[in-house]
Amino acid sequence: MRQKIGDQPRIVGFLCKWCSYAGADLAGTSRKKYPSNLTVLKVPCSGRIDPLFVLKGLRLGFDGVLVSGCHPGDCHYQTGNYRARRRIVITKKFLEYLGIPEERIQASWVSAAEGTKFARVVADVVENVRAIGPNNLFNNEG
Amino acid sequence: MINQMAEVLVEPRIGVYVCHCGSNIAGTVDVEEVSRFAGELESVKVARDYKFMCSEPGQNMIKDDIRELGLNRVVVASCSPTLHEPTFRRVCQESGINPYLFQMANIREQCSWVTEDHDGATVKAKALVGAAVNRVYYHEPLDVRQVSINPNTLVVGGGIAGIQAALEIADAGHKVYLVERTPSIGGHMAQLDKTFPTLDCSACILTPKMTLVSRHPNIELLTYSEVEDVSGYIGSFKVKIRKKARYVDMDKCTGCGLCQEKCPWKAPSEFEVGLGKRKAIYIPFAQAVPNKPVIDAEHCAYFLKGTCRACEKFCEAKAIDFDQKDEVVEVDVGNVILATGYDLFKPSGIYEYGYGKLDNVITSLEFERLVNSAGPTQGEILLKNGSHPKSIAIIHCAGSRDKDYHEYCSRVCCMYSMKFSHLIREHMAQTKSYEFYVDIRSFGKGYEEFYNRVVDEQTVFIKARPSKVTQDAGKLGDESKLVVHYASSDGTKHQQPVDMVVISTALEPQKDADAVGRLFGVSRSADGFFRERHPKMDPMATMNEGIFIVGCCQGPKDIPDTIAQASGAAGRVLAMISKGEVEIEATTSVIDEARCAGCRVCEGLCPFGAISFDAEKKVSRINEALCKGCRVCVAACPSAAISGKHFTTKQIMAEIKGMLIESKRGS
Ligand SMILES: Cc1cc2nc3c(=O)[nH]c(=O)nc-3n(C[C@H](O)[C@H](O)[C@H](O)COP(=O)(O)OP(=O)(O)OC[C@H]3O[C@@H](n4cnc5c(N)ncnc54)[C@H](O)[C@@H]3O)c2cc1C
Ligand code: SF4
Ligand code: SF4
């Protein structure tokens, strides 16, 4: 049986350390407000995000996953975000195959200067994922 | 392997510390509740909350627990790791725990500060703490890598910022490569007339430093050059610099200047901001360093039409070399200081002010040249028709403090505008000057005093942002006047006829700041200037270790602040050179040869060419010196053979799972 998971929807965000995580920090230092539904996991580069992490998140009961890295062309490691972009496409395809709405994965490029944008991205992601409804596909036992 | 051994040999004993940060966290998050929750998590031996974890008593609390309770892993839930991760890692290290057996939960920047919802924030803090605890369980001790610091330094940009930084380091006895892209060093300061608030002549205080640079045995000056490629990391960067062809042999040239006298072709002078002309072969200005010419191929008759070579005929030193080619040199340095300065906002963007359309509407930098005795008018402030203006309007904040252009304040325009009024008085006692200002910002040492002085000199201060400047022929009594339209604070509209309008334009990031930032791995803040590591606590370092930013490339500032920041960064570099080595994150990835299938998928993905294939053993291998730790390969390896230290799949999976413990418990 599905158990109650905090505030609905619950979202896990994979943020690269150089751009998006710093952008999220900037949202904080500038006291931008956004919904508390998203918890952040820091990765060195969006290229580190293994599609398995995304699937694991959904399997465990998160309603949505946000993947965020540096803007195309701005990757601290030159091309990591291009890899991430490709992997997101493939993972979405795979979700479709499993009958999971692809909107459960959301991606956005946020730079270290874009605190306001980060706050807006979170608000949008929360709204989009809420619109699909709770993720009841797995029994969330992990 | 290490992972499993660590797990088998020592049972994790975790301590969790939840920081109140005064009321910064505790005002929104129920910190006691979070710490109670943490105390119930698997392997957690102690969980406490405390007012300021980063304080001495806070740190000692962790140290005592490590000693008394035999903790071997620590979680601190407080601010962003960017701020205090080094602090707490050091606490661990000092207590005999490997610094990597530590994890931070960011419950301030990414939790308490971004919501007013107390329950939501508390739930989120618990999720973050659950994640950190679950993750730290799988942390492995790692060796911090010590890398040695190459004592050579690269300084990019030869304005006052770059000159200052280069001299400080060179004077301390270390080699500096100073790269400047124009034919001479000096930057904007070389173009200024007098400098506020003391009114020292800019050239008089700058040129001695420029000369020192050119003579310094420890400075290798590369003018007319640009950095093309940067690789490596703190301590050992490899830099490729393109020295553009000058078509003048610098060793043979004596700097006599005969060539520029004889050259028949002219072009607008960059140094005179278009107010004067220079030749196709030219020394940019009298005190240029190096004081030797360069041929501007775009305006040279020989390059354009195949004939002329007048300079070559006259040069007694036989220094002209039309066959010269660009040269690319490679240098090794330990640190880099970026001092690329600023660009001026083009006021033609504010078309209402008529710049570029109306005669006698000029920019502030053009005014600096007009008033300069070495300038195109020998220091006479002249109108287009050659007469002296009887009235001059100075419009502040053009492009600054204006959300349509730049939201920020350019910090020097108020002061240089008032300097102009003073100089106008000095040159033409009868000429009236009007300062159209938004607010007067005279915050520096001696600046308010300077403002009072200018007020006493009968300058007219009008608090208004003019709406437009028009040309009114005769209507207002005079034959042809510029008219400044503005509204006073009560809304009434006014017109002020003047002979000349000076637009005090904003300082903005260099046009190519984007590309330069990318080249050096430095990001930019919302205003477009290079982003410092911390806006208060570290305004000269960047997130990229070993790369510093000084002067106006970090944000608009005056000369005293530029000098302070440049000397500061030089000090930081010198400290590193004298220590000789620096610790860097244990970030490289490793391939487990036993699991590697030899598919070579990773090899093509690595952006740094760090992976090579051992054809004999049929496995791939990572070169530690080249790997930058992006972990792109880790995510791609189909055999899960690559372990991305400190970001292993196991650790990340545990972290994801940990985020949900709180909700599965229910509350
Ligand atoms: C009209 C005006 C009047 C002013 N008056 C005063 C005053 O009276 N008192 C005062 O304190 N301040 C004054 N200032 C401010 C002063 O100009 C700055 O504080 C100072 O010039 C900043 O120096 P900098 O070295 O950071 O930048 P810059 O002077 O802009 O120097 C940057 C240098 O880097 C070079 N460069 C740029 N990009 C590259 C690259 N990619 N590779 C290599 N080289 C590169 C440029 O060619 C330039 O030489 C005034 C400014 C203006 C606009
Ligand atoms: S004439 Fe020859 S020596 Fe004299 S400045 Fe020109 S290039 Fe140099
Ligand atoms: S982590 Fe892998 S892909 Fe990234 S730099 Fe190191 S070897 Fe190359």
Side-chain angles (χ1 to χ4, degrees):
Chain A
M1 202 198 74
R2 188 186 157 77
Q3 295 162 35
K4 180 179 170 287
I5 298 182
D7 250 5
Q8 292 297 341
R10 282 295 297 266
I11 297 160
V12 54
F14 296 96
L15 270 54
C16 87
K17 135 182 186 176
W18 297 95
C19 296
S20 303
Y21 192 88
D25 271 356
L26 182 63
T29 32
S30 352
R31 310 298 198 273
K32 301 285 175 200
K33 305 293 182 235
Y34 58 80
S36 298
N37 307 55
L38 175 122
T39 33
V40 166
L41 193 152
K42 181 172 78 173
V43 287
C45 173
S46 54
R48 172 63 183 105
I49 304 168
D50 190 323
L52 283 177
F53 301 163
V54 175
L55 297 174
K56 179 82 167 186
L58 295 175
R59 168 111 178 76
L60 288 175
F62 279 100
D63 302 300
V65 176
L66 169 68
V67 171
S68 185
C70 310
H71 285 269
D74 275 349
C75 176
H76 185 80
Y77 302 106
Q78 299 175 0
T79 50
N81 52 1
Y82 293 128
R83 307 283 169 216
R85 194 161 64 178
R86 236 173 282 171
R87 285 178 192 146
I88 293 163
V89 174
I90 295 167
T91 316
K92 283 191 168 183
K93 282 257 154 62
F94 186 62
L95 286 195
E96 202 186 319
Y97 171 75
L98 295 179
I100 301 172
E102 62 156 69
E103 292 81 10
R104 293 216 185 272
I105 308 181
Q106 305 254 328
S108 179
W109 311 118
V110 174
S111 81
E114 295 175 326
T116 314
K117 175 171 177 190
F118 182 75
R120 201 179 60 233
V121 164
V122 177
D124 288 350
V125 167
V126 168
E127 198 168 306
N128 295 344
V129 174
R130 183 174 283 140
I132 321 168
N135 164 19
N136 287 321
L137 268 144
F138 305 101
N139 64 359
N140 307 323
E141 289 304 319
Chain B
M1 278 263 289
I2 310 166
N3 181 3
Q4 276 146 20
M5 269 168 44
E7 260 176 67
V8 175
L9 292 181
V10 232
E11 183 227 336
R13 300 177 63 83
I14 307 171
V16 180
Y17 301 87
V18 184
C19 184
H20 298 200
C21 193
S23 63
N24 280 304
I25 295 170
T28 314
V29 171
D30 183 345
V31 282
E32 279 122 38
E33 172 62 22
V34 175
S35 130
R36 208 166 19 247
F37 160 81
E40 291 164 5
L41 296 173
E42 197 189 327
S43 301
V44 172
K45 302 299 167 200
V46 62
R48 303 181 197 275
D49 59 279
Y50 183 67
K51 253 189 165 14
F52 292 106
M53 280 316 304
C54 59
S55 67
E56 191 77 33
Q59 296 187 24
N60 287 338
M61 182 187 279
I62 302 177
K63 287 186 185 167
D64 292 347
D65 282 351
I66 292 175
R67 206 178 38 242
E68 284 157 24
L69 305 172
L71 302 180
N72 52 23
R73 276 163 172 72
V74 173
V75 168
V76 174
S78 58
C79 49
S80 169
T82 319
L83 234 59
H84 275 304
E85 190 170 62
T87 314
F88 296 118
R89 278 189 175 168
R90 206 192 52 240
V91 168
C92 290
Q93 194 159 26
E94 284 168 5
S95 309
I97 301 184
N98 182 283
Y100 286 89
L101 299 177
F102 167 76
Q103 178 69 9
M104 224 163 154
N106 184 344
I107 61 167
R108 194 179 73 174
E109 280 82 347
Q110 298 190 9
C111 184
S112 70
W113 275 352
V114 290
T115 184
E116 275 148 12
D117 168 8
H118 291 220
D119 293 340
T122 305
V123 169
K124 186 173 176 182
K126 285 196 220 169
L128 291 169
V129 168
V133 168
N134 246 27
R135 184 190 212 283
V136 85
Y137 186 96
Y138 292 107
H139 279 198
E140 301 157 19
L142 298 173
D143 291 330
V144 242
R145 265 201 299 169
Q146 295 276 354
V147 297
S148 56
I149 298 283
N150 182 320
N152 303 340
T153 305
L154 170 73
V155 177
V156 184
I160 183 58
I163 291 175
Q164 181 70 16
L167 284 174
E168 298 265 13
I169 296 169
D171 280 346
H174 299 288
K175 169 118 197 161
V176 177
Y177 298 96
L178 176 56
V179 175
E180 163 61 47
R181 78 162 148 216
T182 67
S184 169
I185 55 171
H188 283 101
M189 191 176 166
Q191 291 170 289
L192 307 181
D193 182 41
K194 303 237 164 85
T195 52
F196 62 74
T198 43
L199 299 169
D200 320 66
C201 134
S202 192
C204 313
I205 52 180
L206 176 66
T207 35
K209 283 194 185 266
M210 290 167 61
T211 317
L212 279 179
V213 166
S214 70
R215 296 227 185 97
H216 210 296
N218 290 331
I219 298 181
E220 188 168 330
L221 181 56
L222 298 111
T223 51
Y224 213 43
S225 302
E226 270 180 88
V227 174
E228 258 187 7
D229 187 52
V230 184
S231 61
Y233 45 83
I234 184 169
S236 51
F237 292 104
K238 266 203 182 328
V239 185
K240 272 199 192 120
I241 303 163
R242 175 174 295 270
K243 292 169 78 175
K244 287 173 276 187
R246 276 180 103 104
Y247 307 110
V248 172
D249 183 327
M250 297 292 270
D251 292 329
K252 290 186 186 159
C253 173
T254 59
C256 69
L258 197 61
C259 53
Q260 66 176 1
E261 209 175 285
K262 300 293 179 188
C263 173
W265 281 65
K266 286 186 182 164
S269 156
E270 293 82 1
F271 184 77
E272 301 295 358
V273 250
L275 294 181
K277 297 251 187 257
R278 57 152 172 90
K279 296 293 181 60
I281 183 165
Y282 68 108
I283 298 175
F285 53 102
Q287 303 94 334
V289 166
N291 210 268
K292 291 183 183 175
V294 53
I295 295 181
D296 166 9
E298 279 172 31
H299 289 95
C300 165
Y302 174 68
F303 282 105
L304 292 173
K305 309 188 165 172
T307 53
C308 181
R309 302 181 83 133
C311 50
E312 193 180 37
K313 280 176 218 120
F314 287 98
C315 176
E316 285 166 11
K318 303 269 165 277
I320 307 290
D321 175 7
F322 286 105
D323 297 323
Q324 214 178 62
K325 295 273 171 310
D326 287 7
E327 192 189 332
V328 176
V329 293
E330 230 184 273
V331 301
D332 295 320
V333 296
N335 289 281
V336 176
I337 297 180
L338 294 181
T340 51
Y342 63 94
D343 230 330
L344 277 172
F345 170 77
K346 291 274 169 302
S348 38
I350 313 179
Y351 66 92
E352 299 91 325
Y353 287 170
Y355 177 78
K357 288 181 303 222
L358 303 180
D359 281 349
N360 303 316
V361 176
I362 63 172
T363 68
S364 45
L365 196 58
E366 289 166 18
F367 185 85
E368 292 278 357
R369 294 314 303 152
L370 268 192
V371 77
N372 192 302
S373 54
T377 55
Q378 285 76 47
E380 296 259 358
I381 307 171
L382 295 179
L383 296 171
K384 261 274 166 71
N385 64 14
S387 67
H388 292 279
K390 294 191 196 63
S391 53
I392 301 179
I394 302 163
I395 303 180
H396 293 212
C397 292
S400 305
R401 306 181 64 200
D402 185 337
K403 288 199 174 157
D404 289 340
Y405 305 101
H406 297 300
E407 188 175 356
Y408 56 82
C409 163
S410 293
R411 296 182 97 235
V412 291
C413 324
C414 277
M415 286 305 295
Y416 73 59
S417 299
M418 297 193 290
K419 169 180 79 178
F420 292 169
S421 276
H422 174 84
L423 294 175
I424 291 166
R425 191 80 1 93
E426 233 178 49
H427 285 241
M428 302 171 299
Q430 299 312 315
T431 299
K432 263 193 113 109
S433 69
Y434 300 87
E435 299 268 349
F436 287 92
Y437 70 101
V438 180
D439 296 292
I440 292 292
R441 300 203 160 161
S442 52
F443 46 79
K445 186 167 179 168
Y447 289 12
E448 186 68 11
E449 294 87 332
F450 185 77
Y451 164 57
N452 288 332
R453 171 175 177 185
V454 176
V455 169
D456 289 344
E457 288 169 346
Q458 312 297 317
T459 301
V460 185
F461 282 84
I462 300 172
K463 188 171 167 68
R465 196 193 276 274
S467 58
K468 59 181 174 184
V469 176
T470 55
Q471 180 107 48
D472 248 312
K475 245 198 254 161
L476 291 143
D478 260 308
E479 59 298 1
S480 182
K481 287 269 190 193
L482 293 166
V483 181
V484 180
H485 300 251
Y486 68 98
S488 46
S489 54
D490 61 4
T492 31
K493 294 193 166 139
H494 301 272
Q495 301 188 351
Q496 178 61 55
V498 290
D499 293 326
M500 178 182 262
V501 170
V502 179
I503 304 182
S504 297
T505 59
L507 275 59
E508 62 182 20
Q510 291 277 7
K511 300 270 169 304
D512 61 348
D514 195 15
V516 173
R518 207 169 293 156
L519 189 58
F520 291 94
V522 172
S523 58
R524 299 192 299 148
S525 30
D527 54 16
F529 291 99
F530 293 144
R531 186 167 182 267
E532 57 289 314
R533 195 177 185 93
H534 191 279
K536 279 157 265 185
M537 305 313 286
D538 203 349
M540 55 191 99
T542 64
M543 291 302 286
N544 203 0
E545 302 275 356
I547 313 263
F548 296 86
I549 46 178
V550 301
C552 290
C553 67
Q554 184 254 342
K557 54 179 68 66
D558 54 23
I559 297 164
D561 284 1
T562 297
I563 297 262
Q565 197 181 25
S567 300
R572 295 274 288 274
V573 168
L574 287 172
M576 262 190 279
I577 295 174
S578 88
K579 192 160 177 228
E581 53 180 20
V582 64
E583 282 185 357
I584 61 169
E585 289 257 318
T587 51
T588 54
S589 298
V590 268
I591 295 177
D592 179 350
E593 293 187 4
R595 295 183 86 164
C596 173
C599 70
R600 305 179 70 169
V601 161
C602 54
E603 204 180 314
L605 288 178
C606 177
F608 307 100
I611 307 180
S612 58
F613 187 66
D614 180 336
E616 206 173 295
K617 285 187 154 181
K618 303 235 177 330
V619 290
S620 292
R621 201 165 286 140
I622 294 175
N623 178 342
E624 271 222 344
L626 295 177
C627 171
K628 289 213 178 194
C630 65
R631 284 99 164 168
V632 161
C633 56
V634 184
C637 175
S639 314
I642 315 181
S643 152
K645 286 180 195 164
H646 214 52
F647 285 93
T648 64
T649 302
K650 204 171 214 159
Q651 289 163 354
I652 294 175
M653 290 298 198
E655 193 174 351
I656 303 173
K657 202 168 174 182
M659 285 180 178
L660 293 167
I661 301 174
E662 153 279 321
S663 55
K664 302 221 164 170
R665 291 252 160 107
S667 46

